[in-house]
Amino acid sequence: MPTSLVIQTSFLGDTVLTTGLVAELARLGAVDVVATPAAADLLANNADVRECIVYDKRGADAGIGGMLRLASRLRRPRYDAAYLAQGSWRSAALAAAARIPRRVGFDTSAGRLLYTELVRYAADRHHAERLWLLGARRDASPSTPDEIRPRLFPGPAERGAVDALTAGLPRDGASLVALAPGSVWGTKRWPYYPDLAARLAPLHRLVVVGSAADAPLAAAIARAAGSDRVLDATGRLSLLGTAELLARCVAIVTNDSAPLHLASAMNVPTVALFGPTVPAFGFGPLSTRSTIVEVDGLPCRPCDPHGPEVCPLRHWKCMVNLGADRVLDATLALIRSA
Ligand code: SF4
């Protein structure tokens, strides 16, 4: 039974998308995962993960000294293979310094010179599938979408936290629609969430999800839609708690950001708004029912793999021209299609 180490220290969404690879490897043997402190929560209660090893690469484990300390710790379990789900030289050096004999990663990664097996980066596949292909079945295609669908497992703590958060809501039967207005990158933040919220609020109760940094966006939504119709969950739940909350919603409207992938993991009907990025990058929704809303025919799209902080052309038409009417129609159609 091979023992595998998956190294994923990228963004939160990437950690979510890596869970399909972890499940694939867990069919063959034990799997440990190296993750950032922020992402470790996402792997709680996941029976496919034997141990989650936290790598605080920007804090306590910063620098070469921190990397070598962790590498020394990783030598003891004697892993058969490391899967470089995140392709930096630092992750590759970590696996090499840990003396893991097989080091598997993408042929486009910065750290590829330290890999022992290169896997073609399938640019035309969803990133969850690309990661899944790092596992044993390189020439296969997933037999069902569920094989690559991310997996998250909220437990009693997360259910309790969401029960407490929603305890004060009126028991009037109104269904919950989640709004995720945040993003690390400025140009990915669709500007019309308050307009959308004002129109959705008579029909559905709204819950705003995100980090504490998204609280001002939630406040603007509550002002537009009425605070009695909006539950602000920003900064009030763990990532896994947010996944549990999303599982209780009839739909989510989200930018191209981490909540989109949380929703995919919980198979929540998803309206995904793409501006400077495009779904063809491989980070679109994986929920069974999902809709992508974007501005077609804009020659500057996509302009960046992540989305710049400000529009380099200053007009930001990829988001400004994506009106609330279109998103409202898409959201209501998705909810009605249940
Ligand atoms: S350059 Fe185009 S795609 Fe990029 S942010 Fe501006 S409008 Fe959007």
Side-chain angles (χ1 to χ4, degrees):
M1 295 267 283
T3 304
S4 303
L5 181 71
V6 174
I7 301 178
Q8 177 54 279
T9 60
S10 192
F11 299 105
L12 297 172
D14 295 278
T15 301
V16 177
L17 295 179
T18 302
T19 55
L21 168 66
V22 171
E24 172 72 4
L25 295 172
R27 295 186 318 114
L28 307 173
V31 183
D32 293 348
V33 180
V34 172
T36 63
D41 165 55
L42 290 164
L43 302 173
N45 311 316
N46 187 332
D48 296 325
V49 179
R50 183 179 68 176
E51 185 184 359
C52 178
I53 300 154
V54 174
Y55 182 20
D56 189 6
K57 63 184 182 181
R58 303 199 198 289
D61 303 319
I64 293 199
M67 188 268 285
L68 291 176
R69 271 196 306 278
L70 179 58
S72 168
R73 179 182 160 198
L74 294 176
R75 272 179 219 140
R76 267 170 253 136
R78 295 198 176 280
Y79 296 107
D80 297 292
Y83 294 85
L84 286 303
Q86 189 259 359
S88 71
W89 70 267
R90 176 170 28 200
S91 294
L94 176 67
R99 299 179 193 153
I100 300 173
R102 284 184 63 217
R103 299 183 294 278
V104 184
F106 294 120
D107 58 0
T108 53
S109 294
R112 62 188 179 279
L113 286 179
L114 293 174
Y115 299 170
T116 60
E117 290 175 37
L118 294 177
V119 176
R120 186 178 74 84
Y121 183 85
D124 57 338
R125 310 279 187 100
H126 195 284
H127 196 58
E129 185 171 348
R130 288 195 284 259
L131 292 165
W132 183 85
L133 288 168
L134 284 179
R137 290 187 276 175
R138 305 261 164 85
D139 300 322
S141 285
S143 53
T144 69
D146 284 336
E147 256 184 316
I148 60 165
R149 191 192 309 288
R151 298 151 168 83
L152 297 176
F153 301 93
E158 288 78 27
R159 288 191 284 278
V162 174
D163 286 346
L165 184 71
T166 57
L169 294 179
R171 300 190 181 280
D172 56 6
S175 53
L176 279 175
V177 173
L179 305 179
S183 170
V184 176
W185 291 275
T187 51
K188 280 188 180 178
R189 287 181 221 124
W190 185 59
Y192 304 130
Y193 278 97
D195 294 358
L196 175 70
R199 296 186 216 186
L200 275 174
L203 305 170
H204 300 278
R205 182 159 284 108
L206 306 174
V207 56
V208 185
V209 298
S211 70
D214 299 323
L217 299 173
I221 288 170
R223 278 196 300 277
S227 55
D228 58 325
R229 299 297 290 171
V230 178
L231 174 63
D232 177 6
T234 59
R236 299 174 68 185
L237 292 170
S238 66
L239 291 165
L240 219 44
T242 300
E244 169 66 22
L245 177 58
L246 293 181
R248 302 185 191 191
C249 295
V250 294
I252 178 173
V253 183
T254 177
N255 305 323
D256 173 19
S257 60
L260 184 157
H261 305 303
L262 297 179
S264 291
M266 306 310 289
N267 206 11
V268 181
T270 300
V271 178
L273 312 179
F274 280 78
T277 56
V278 291
F281 286 169
F283 295 90
L286 289 170
S287 296
T288 308
R289 291 165 48 228
S290 59
T291 305
I292 290 163
V293 189
E294 57 190 334
V295 173
D296 295 320
L298 195 61
C300 56
R301 291 189 68 230
C303 70
D304 186 274
H306 296 297
E309 185 55 31
V310 295
C311 172
L313 302 178
R314 303 292 166 187
H315 54 58
W316 198 26
K317 286 182 181 173
C318 64
M319 282 300 196
V320 170
N321 288 0
L322 200 60
D325 285 347
R326 271 190 70 193
V327 179
L328 177 70
D329 290 347
T331 307
L332 295 179
L334 187 70
I335 294 169
R336 277 196 296 265
S337 71

